[in-house]
Amino acid sequence: MNANPRPDPDETARRLGAIAAEAGRFLASVADRGGGRRLKEDGSPTTAADLESERLILARLREAWPAIPVVAEESAGSTACAELFFLVDPLDGTRDYLTGSGEYSVNIALVAGARPIAAAIAVPEAGRVWTAGTAATVGRISAEGVEDWVPASVRRAPEDGLVALVSRRHGDAATEACLSALQVAERRVASSAYKFCLVASGEADLYVRCGATMEWDTAAGDHIATMAGATVTGPAGPLTYGHAERGYRNGPFAVLGDAALAPRLKLPETCP
């Protein structure tokens, strides 16, 4: 018998949504957002809030799924992934969290093999939580948890031009080249994995990222957008997860609300 059977994706997604919302409420309540601030080896900032959010999430995951390992941003070097494992970013968009200028998020995904099967993203600034097991949903964060769940679904590409989501701080020439091949009418600045969610809810049409990201940045958004009907692709097809041998780094990828856009997009093979 398998000592670690695969959890039900839909029930798992619901529980992950509650955990992400709890962590999001904590992050929103922190008065001193710069407390314990330091720079990590890659030059990105972390704070006491990142660490406390991760501790909260890890505790909740252990309570619900004690046998499943967790690869989390702040402690990734201490945990090896397995056939079934969680990927966690306890605070995606720390710079925007510090300045109050953007939509930071909490990202949690359950990966089976090389692909996510359940996920949740909470975006406290927007007051929303997205989840996906076998289908994508979005709900409203309340004091009690998450309410008013509705399905999340992508839209067809509008004839008058596309809405492309771009990062505040991570523009690069390769991403610009990809966007120039598409009929982009509007560029909307958004932070963190929130960009996946906006495509998943039909509020934007595409998100292209050729710069470096980590697996915990993308796994939850990848699954939510995919279950909402989006095409999430790298240069060779769907993204895969659990690559400890490359430090859990991703290559270039695109999130396309309308699959008809895919033939017009050519991603570089590697990040600049």
Side-chain angles (χ1 to χ4, degrees), residues 1 24 29 60 76 101 118 131-132 138 141 143 164 177 185 245 263:
M1 178 180 294
S29 73
R60 298 293 181 264
S101 64
T131 68
V138 56
I141 298 175
E245 75 283 356

Side-chain angles (χ1 to χ4, degrees), residues 199-221:
V199 175
S201 288
E203 298 169 51
D205 301 297
L206 71 152
Y207 164 38
V208 178
R209 180 67 181 268
C210 296
T213 58
M214 307 301 287
E215 291 185 10
W216 45 78
D217 295 322
T218 62

Side-chain angles (χ1 to χ4, degrees), residues 1-260:
M1 178 180 294
N2 186 351
N4 196 16
R6 181 179 298 194
D8 175 76
D10 294 314
E11 174 60 24
T12 300
R14 285 190 289 272
R15 297 183 76 171
L16 294 182
I19 294 169
E22 182 183 1
R25 288 194 298 272
F26 161 74
L27 290 170
S29 73
V30 174
D32 180 12
R33 294 191 172 187
R37 180 176 180 173
R38 63 179 177 82
L39 291 180
K40 295 185 286 189
E41 290 183 4
D42 64 1
S44 63
T46 188
T47 70
D50 295 68
L51 298 172
E52 188 58 35
S53 177
E54 184 167 306
R55 281 192 286 268
L56 185 159
I57 294 167
L58 293 180
R60 298 293 181 264
L61 294 178
R62 280 194 297 268
E63 291 168 3
W65 301 280
I68 301 178
V70 182
V71 177
E73 179 180 16
E74 301 301 329
S75 56
S78 62
T79 305
C81 60
E83 175 66 19
L84 194 65
F85 67 100
F86 287 103
L87 276 167
V88 172
D89 191 336
L91 175 47
D92 185 14
T94 301
R95 287 188 176 90
D96 293 307
Y97 178 74
L98 287 167
T99 63
S101 64
E103 306 92 351
Y104 61 92
S105 66
V106 176
N107 312 336
I108 312 173
L110 176 62
V111 178
R115 288 288 302 162
I117 62 169
I121 292 177
V123 185
E125 292 282 331
R128 303 164 83 184
V129 176
W130 284 259
T131 68
T134 59
T137 60
V138 56
R140 177 177 60 84
I141 298 175
S142 70
E144 292 73 32
V146 187
E147 303 175 340
D148 304 330
W149 289 104
V150 295
S153 181
V154 299
R155 68 185 185 187
R156 294 188 63 179
E159 295 183 359
D160 57 350
L162 307 171
V163 175
L165 300 170
V166 296
S167 300
R168 280 184 172 85
R169 298 177 177 85
H170 302 295
D172 59 81
T175 298
E176 287 300 315
C178 290
L179 293 177
S180 68
L182 302 168
Q183 187 183 352
V184 175
E186 178 186 348
R187 296 183 181 214
R188 176 177 171 183
V189 175
S191 300
S192 70
Y194 190 32
K195 296 186 280 294
F196 286 91
C197 299
L198 292 172
V199 175
S201 288
E203 298 169 51
D205 301 297
L206 71 152
Y207 164 38
V208 178
R209 180 67 181 268
C210 296
T213 58
M214 307 301 287
E215 291 185 10
W216 45 78
D217 295 322
T218 62
D222 180 348
H223 187 61
I224 290 166
T226 298
M227 292 298 102
T231 295
V232 182
T233 185
L239 306 184
T240 56
Y241 296 92
H243 296 284
E245 75 283 356
R246 65 188 191 205
Y248 300 106
R249 289 178 177 82
N250 294 315
F253 66 87
V255 184
L256 307 171
D258 190 333

